[in-house]
Amino acid sequence: MNLHDLTVIDTEKIALEDLFFSDENKNALTQIIKEHQYIQELQKYNLKADNKILLHGSSGCGKTTTAKAIAQKLQKKIVIINLSTIIDARIGETSKNLKAVFDKAIREKAVLFLDEFDQIGKSRDSEDKDVAEMRRLVNTIIQLFDYFPSDSLLICATNHYDIIDSALLRRFQLRLKYDLPSQEQLEIYYDKILGQFPKHFQNIERRFGISYAEVLDYIHTTMKKQIIASLESE
């Protein structure tokens, strides 16, 4: 595993203020960002900034985008790991890979984003056939969590909150749920995205009950069809 390739340098500018999620989630994330912005002042009072966040819920509702926006707000690098890519058939190798990832984030005081956290954080009480090996892996993760310094930030994401080990869940100071957006929220999102295109392309059928990512894909696909049809009719 080449750790150099794991550091993501995002050229896309993502402002936290532009993201769509509940006021409760926005307020909680704003608080944790401020704690890291004033971390030295807090340390004078022996107060540590919260530095472990779990984002869980529906796919395509902004968990990865949130992590990128937080890193940009804090002017930190972000190390993005899809945990399915570092899992080895040998649990010992997986633990070694994880430690290397954590060490890199700590050295660089980076934001470490672990996607599909359920791949490694599965409950030790599960009926998995390799439960003994999974217990050892979860124990390793607990140790990595416990020694993760407060000047770095760990963000994990999962679509399967219910299978995460309870001891790991307790170590997240902040656990935020991402639900599918309401029709009202999607109306605002449609207006924002469609506003980037000429008015004669904006009158499209609006679909609801889907995620922000699905809406974005739907709009882009529809726009490409309309633009190409317009060009071919000239």
Side-chain angles (χ1 to χ4, degrees), residues 133-148:
E133 293 175 339
M134 286 304 298
R135 282 176 180 161
R136 288 196 294 272
L137 178 56
V138 170
N139 287 337
T140 295
I141 301 166
I142 288 172
Q143 291 177 347
L144 291 171
F145 274 35
D146 288 346
Y147 289 101
F148 196 70

Side-chain angles (χ1 to χ4, degrees), residues 110-149:
V111 173
L112 174 57
F113 179 62
L114 303 181
D115 199 8
E116 296 190 24
F117 185 63
D118 48 279
Q119 293 279 338
I120 61 168
K122 190 181 297 185
S123 172
R124 288 167 289 182
D125 296 327
S126 72
E127 298 178 358
D128 195 295
K129 64 180 180 180
D130 298 320
V131 66
E133 293 175 339
M134 286 304 298
R135 282 176 180 161
R136 288 196 294 272
L137 178 56
V138 170
N139 287 337
T140 295
I141 301 166
I142 288 172
Q143 291 177 347
L144 291 171
F145 274 35
D146 288 346
Y147 289 101
F148 196 70

Side-chain angles (χ1 to χ4, degrees), residues 14-225:
I14 302 173
L16 193 66
E17 296 77 13
D18 292 337
L19 299 187
F20 287 78
F21 38 54
S22 69
D23 289 339
E24 181 182 358
N25 284 3
K26 183 172 287 189
N27 291 338
L29 291 171
T30 299
Q31 171 63 24
I32 212 166
I33 287 170
K34 287 183 177 180
E35 290 182 16
H36 282 265
Q37 289 173 330
Y38 295 101
I39 192 168
Q40 294 181 345
E41 287 78 4
L42 293 176
Q43 287 173 347
K44 294 175 184 177
Y45 297 91
N46 294 319
L47 294 171
K48 295 181 179 179
D50 289 346
N51 68 337
K52 300 179 191 72
I53 306 172
L54 179 65
L55 309 178
H56 63 96
S58 301
S59 178
C61 290
K63 296 188 288 293
T64 302
T65 308
T66 297
K68 292 179 180 180
I70 290 172
Q72 181 177 306
K73 188 76 173 179
L74 293 174
Q75 298 182 318
K76 289 177 176 282
K77 287 183 179 178
I78 182 167
V79 179
I80 299 179
I81 307 296
N82 185 319
L83 288 168
S84 62
T85 65
I86 67 170
I87 291 177
D88 193 278
R90 295 166 294 179
I91 292 295
E93 285 299 311
T94 300
S95 297
K96 181 180 176 182
N97 291 343
L98 277 172
K99 187 176 185 306
V101 167
F102 272 74
D103 287 346
K104 176 180 178 63
I106 291 168
R107 280 196 311 271
E108 300 183 1
K109 296 183 179 179
V111 173
L112 174 57
F113 179 62
L114 303 181
D115 199 8
E116 296 190 24
F117 185 63
D118 48 279
Q119 293 279 338
I120 61 168
K122 190 181 297 185
S123 172
R124 288 167 289 182
D125 296 327
S126 72
E127 298 178 358
D128 195 295
K129 64 180 180 180
D130 298 320
V131 66
E133 293 175 339
M134 286 304 298
R135 282 176 180 161
R136 288 196 294 272
L137 178 56
V138 170
N139 287 337
T140 295
I141 301 166
I142 288 172
Q143 291 177 347
L144 291 171
F145 274 35
D146 288 346
Y147 289 101
F148 196 70
S150 60
D151 59 0
S152 295
L153 184 59
L154 173 65
I155 304 175
C156 299
T158 180
N159 300 337
H160 305 286
Y161 180 90
D162 293 340
I163 68 173
I164 303 297
D165 191 87
S166 59
L168 285 172
L169 287 177
R170 287 196 300 270
R171 283 165 167 78
F172 291 102
Q173 298 107 339
L174 192 61
R175 299 191 290 271
L176 302 180
K177 186 176 181 181
Y178 281 60
D179 293 313
L180 283 176
S182 66
Q183 180 170 334
E184 181 182 3
Q185 289 170 320
L186 283 183
E187 290 280 17
I188 296 170
Y189 189 66
Y190 271 109
D191 289 342
K192 178 186 176 183
I193 303 303
L194 289 172
Q196 302 169 19
F197 298 95
K199 282 191 176 297
H200 60 281
F201 287 138
Q202 294 180 20
N203 188 25
I204 67 172
E205 177 188 355
R206 297 191 174 194
R207 297 176 180 175
F208 300 98
I210 57 179
S211 69
Y212 291 118
E214 290 172 310
V215 169
L216 187 62
D217 287 343
Y218 165 61
I219 291 175
H220 284 177
T221 298
T222 304
M223 287 301 147
K224 286 184 284 188
K225 287 180 180 177

